[in-house]
Amino acid sequence: MDSTIACGFPSPAADSKENSLDFNELLLKHKSSTYCLRASGRSLENSGIQDGDILIVDKSLSPRNNDLVVAEYQGGFTAKRLKIQGDNIFLHPECDDFEDIIISEKDSFSLFGVITGVVRTYRN
Amino acid sequence: MIGLCDCNSFYATCEKLFRPELRNKPVVVLSNNDGCIVALSKEAKNLGIKRGDPLYNAKEQLEKNNVEIFSSNYALYQNISDRVMDVLKSLVGTIMPYSIDEAFFIMPQNIDVEDLRQTIVQYTGIAVSIGVARTKTLAKIANHVGKELPSGAFILQEEMEKDILKDIPVGEIWGIGSRRAVLLNQYGIRTAYDLTLKNDIWIKKQLTITGYATVSELRGIPMVNIDNPPLKSTCSGISFSQIRSEYKELEEAIACHCTNIANKLIKNGMNCQMISINLFTNRFLEDYIAPCAVIKLAEPTNYIPTLIKAGISVLKKIYKKANYKGCRVWATELTPSDSRQMQLFISEEEQKRIAKQDKLSLIVNDITQIYGRKSLTCAATNNMTKNDLMSREKLSPCYTTKWTDLPIVKI
């Protein structure tokens, strides 16, 4: 498409042109290993994650103590704060109405990925 | 050394990715139109269910064993495939994708093959196996071996080749079909190793030059090239989800398939000059008919409206009222769009018109790439796409490509 014909003085900033902010650059550090999941429930309320939020989950990161993670626990997905104390692993909720989940060896448990961001929109 | 990375039970694995409760459960995926089983998880394989079984034959067994059934969700599989390929590429450099679920690559010397596999599985959530060997054909065999190992990976060293090839029946060699296997068995050639012992002249005579390439690869000499051959013809067609008998209903269907074909041509940078249409009723009924006709276009094109118009003109010729079960559209006489041979004595105006069409095609293609296939269609399709003509009752959500379909995590 042809753009408008410039007349008058050339912009003094033309040489300093940079691309606009790109949310992919901010939120998707590892595009191919990042999945989006939708949160449902209240157990992370105090961490700021609310019902309906979109969780950005990066599978390429190694989980560390105190990371917010998505885990597969007893045949379902759950999101909690990961606590590693010695050999013990806890899934810690961020809401007073919920209890810690202590992972025992006989549980079916695996980490799906680390939550690296949350997206919420207020008006569409 | 050449590596082959192959996703295990790919479609079934994709369906399980966001369904943790299905982790160790049998899963099958159905073909287009939910006709027959095209993919199975290993739990489903263990039940004795076979790839290719028609759904109506297997239904009882599937229900009895609580097998989870899915319609094929190509939007999901393609997206996951892209991710696996991207991750593999980021780890090894150059890759040569061979199909939606496998890619060859040059194995870097400083990488451990088990680490490589583990990383791909962790990053994508998709189980893969890796085979590494001197040639692509041997890498395929190494991959078969690796798939059965707990590590999921296997390096076929030169000195082990003889022993391994002795265990591979000729029918399992990449590039040797079942008919060739029968022929080879008649000559007493049972294993891949037996085949490597035959002399070149005999091999070329019995298996042609492509078979000779395969045997050379088994001997460790790279000969198989997997560059995609140029598209020679393309077809779009399917059984309808319900019987269509009115002319208008068939016109919609033909328009959908013509659009689909045009999109395939545009994607491959090709034009076509011949369109064939075929309607068919149920071939198990007495009044089975399958009318068919062809039209030659004035010039090679991939312009959607021209192809739809051509398709509809053929339909008008062959249509008579009947209970049609499906239709097919073929495009043949394909030529690359950039080498269009203009008709002789073409006027300047005509040339301008064609250039305009090409430009419009590109714009339409760009728009539908961004906003989806339905954002901009020809009115003749009644805003349907090929997928709407199919029955896909067990379709899973498009977890990775639609914001409305995100997997849910309970928190």
Side-chain angles (χ1 to χ4, degrees):
Chain A
M1 267 348 120
D2 294 338
S3 54
T4 48
I5 297 164
C7 42
F9 291 105
S11 160
D15 289 345
S16 314
K17 187 178 164 57
E18 289 186 9
N19 288 333
S20 283
L21 294 174
D22 177 2
F23 280 101
N24 285 329
E25 184 192 318
L26 181 73
L27 301 171
L28 276 181
K29 294 278 188 303
H30 307 107
K31 183 166 154 268
S32 298
S33 55
T34 300
Y35 292 106
C36 291
L37 285 80
R38 194 173 293 278
S40 160
R42 302 177 33 238
S43 77
L44 289 175
E45 244 168 28
N46 297 345
S47 75
I49 295 178
Q50 292 179 11
D51 189 53
D53 283 354
I54 295 170
L55 308 180
I56 299 170
V57 182
D58 191 339
K59 285 179 71 63
S60 72
L61 301 179
S62 304
R64 291 191 295 231
N65 189 28
N66 281 325
D67 273 342
L68 285 165
V69 297
V70 170
E72 290 180 38
Y73 176 70
Q74 307 291 56
F77 281 129
T78 186
K80 296 280 181 291
R81 195 173 291 285
L82 180 72
K83 297 278 183 186
I84 306 169
Q85 291 167 0
D87 288 341
N88 298 321
I89 297 176
F90 302 86
L91 293 177
H92 178 67
E94 299 269 333
C95 176
D96 300 338
D97 302 346
F98 292 81
E99 307 261 314
D100 277 5
I101 299 170
I102 304 160
I103 307 299
S104 81
E105 261 179 37
K106 55 182 191 297
D107 290 341
S108 115
F109 171 79
S110 65
L111 282 168
F112 182 81
V114 176
I115 299 175
T116 55
V118 176
V119 176
R120 183 187 312 147
T121 52
Y122 291 97
R123 228 187 106 160
N124 287 314
Chain B
M1 300 270 267
I2 304 279
L4 173 65
C5 175
D6 182 20
C7 302
N8 303 345
S9 313
F10 181 57
Y11 295 175
T13 310
C14 291
E15 295 293 354
K16 285 184 174 199
L17 182 57
F18 299 109
R19 297 281 302 272
E21 78 278 16
L22 297 178
R23 199 58 70 216
N24 298 309
K25 300 269 161 53
V27 162
V28 298
V29 178
L30 305 176
S31 60
N32 279 343
N33 225 27
D34 293 350
C36 55
I37 295 168
V38 287
L40 315 87
S41 71
K42 68 170 189 300
E43 298 84 4
K45 278 179 200 154
N46 291 342
L47 291 170
I49 301 163
K50 293 260 164 347
R51 199 175 154 176
D53 283 353
L55 177 61
Y56 58 83
N57 281 352
K59 210 154 194 174
E60 205 174 310
Q61 197 187 6
L62 296 174
E63 272 166 24
K64 202 175 72 193
N65 293 293
N66 284 322
V67 178
E68 198 76 22
I69 305 169
F70 291 98
S71 303
S72 33
N73 184 345
Y74 285 105
L76 175 67
Y77 311 151
Q78 189 59 56
N79 180 270
I80 304 290
S81 168
D82 292 346
R83 290 162 175 269
V84 174
M85 299 290 175
D86 266 6
V87 169
L88 177 64
K89 197 171 165 186
S90 70
L91 296 168
V92 302
T94 314
I95 66 167
M96 298 155 266
Y98 176 65
S99 67
I100 191 166
D101 61 354
E102 39 184 353
F104 290 102
F105 58 94
I106 311 290
M107 182 71 194
Q109 282 182 339
N110 55 347
I111 294 183
D112 178 77
V113 67
E114 286 180 25
D115 287 349
L116 174 63
R117 179 188 164 275
Q118 193 47 47
T119 308
I120 297 169
V121 176
Q122 189 203 323
Y123 282 22
T124 61
I126 297 297
V128 300
S129 38
I130 293 182
V132 178
R134 289 197 289 160
T135 65
K136 293 192 184 80
T137 308
L138 288 171
K140 270 264 185 193
I141 290 172
N143 194 289
H144 271 292
V145 177
K147 206 159 270 215
E148 303 305 321
L149 299 176
S151 66
F154 181 66
I155 301 179
L156 178 52
Q157 301 291 2
E158 190 178 342
E159 57 273 18
M160 298 149 69
E161 283 171 6
K162 189 170 155 185
D163 284 338
I164 297 283
L165 292 188
K166 278 180 178 172
D167 286 335
I168 305 290
V170 281
E172 282 178 24
I173 303 168
W174 185 45
I176 305 282
S178 52
R179 267 173 50 202
R180 278 175 168 180
V182 171
L183 172 92
L184 291 168
N185 284 339
Q186 281 167 0
Y187 286 100
I189 300 165
R190 311 231 159 254
T191 71
Y193 178 69
D194 295 343
L195 188 56
T196 59
L197 298 179
K198 296 304 275 186
N199 72 61
D200 291 357
I201 297 166
W202 188 88
I203 291 164
K204 280 183 195 158
K205 193 172 150 225
Q206 297 295 335
L207 302 179
T208 74
I209 193 74
T210 57
Y212 173 68
T214 298
V215 179
S216 301
E217 289 238 325
L218 290 174
R219 292 170 178 155
I221 304 155
M223 276 191 93
V224 172
N225 215 333
I226 54 156
D227 290 343
N228 292 336
L231 203 59
K232 290 230 171 72
S233 72
T234 178
C235 171
S236 178
I238 206 101
S239 303
F240 304 134
S241 52
Q242 67 222 32
I243 297 291
R244 289 173 177 248
S245 47
E246 296 302 325
Y247 172 79
K248 201 71 203 160
E249 296 176 304
L250 289 158
E251 198 180 83
E252 284 167 10
I254 295 289
C256 281
H257 287 304
C258 288
T259 307
N260 187 36
I261 280 201
N263 285 328
K264 282 197 212 179
L265 291 170
I266 292 167
K267 209 174 138 199
N268 284 280
M270 302 296 271
N271 285 327
C272 78
Q273 200 165 7
M274 194 86 106
I275 291 284
S276 330
I277 304 282
N278 165 219
L279 307 173
F280 52 93
T281 62
N282 187 337
R283 69 191 163 94
F284 296 110
L285 297 180
E286 230 172 69
D287 54 359
Y288 169 66
I289 56 167
C292 171
V294 182
I295 187 169
K296 176 130 186 174
L297 306 171
E299 72 213 5
T301 183
N302 57 25
Y303 188 55
I304 297 175
T306 307
L307 294 183
I308 291 180
K309 225 158 121 187
I312 288 175
S313 76
V314 179
L315 174 68
K316 277 191 182 130
K317 260 193 278 178
I318 60 176
Y319 173 79
K320 62 173 193 172
K321 198 160 178 168
N323 292 327
Y324 292 107
K325 200 170 165 281
C327 70
R328 279 184 216 101
V329 177
W330 282 274
T332 48
E333 297 199 358
L334 306 194
T335 44
S337 355
D338 51 15
S339 72
R340 179 167 11 219
Q341 288 173 354
M342 288 293 177
Q343 276 174 292
L344 224 46
F345 310 121
I346 193 163
S347 69
E348 206 173 307
E349 258 159 62
E350 279 286 279
Q351 282 185 26
K352 269 192 194 152
R353 181 180 59 80
I354 290 168
K356 239 182 191 167
Q357 287 183 357
D358 285 349
K359 210 167 164 186
L360 183 60
S361 286
L362 286 176
I363 293 169
V364 169
N365 198 42
D366 285 351
I367 291 174
T368 51
Q369 285 273 314
I370 297 168
Y371 297 103
R373 279 284 161 83
K374 286 197 178 184
S375 57
L376 191 58
T377 58
C378 275
T381 62
N382 199 13
N383 200 22
M384 294 194 306
T385 66
K386 191 186 158 210
N387 287 347
D388 297 315
L389 300 172
M390 289 195 274
S391 140
R392 296 203 293 175
E393 279 179 28
K394 313 266 187 188
L395 190 65
S396 54
C398 293
Y399 298 110
T400 55
T401 53
K402 282 197 185 121
W403 288 113
T404 50
D405 285 15
L406 295 185
I408 304 287
V409 48
K410 282 255 182 274
I411 63 168

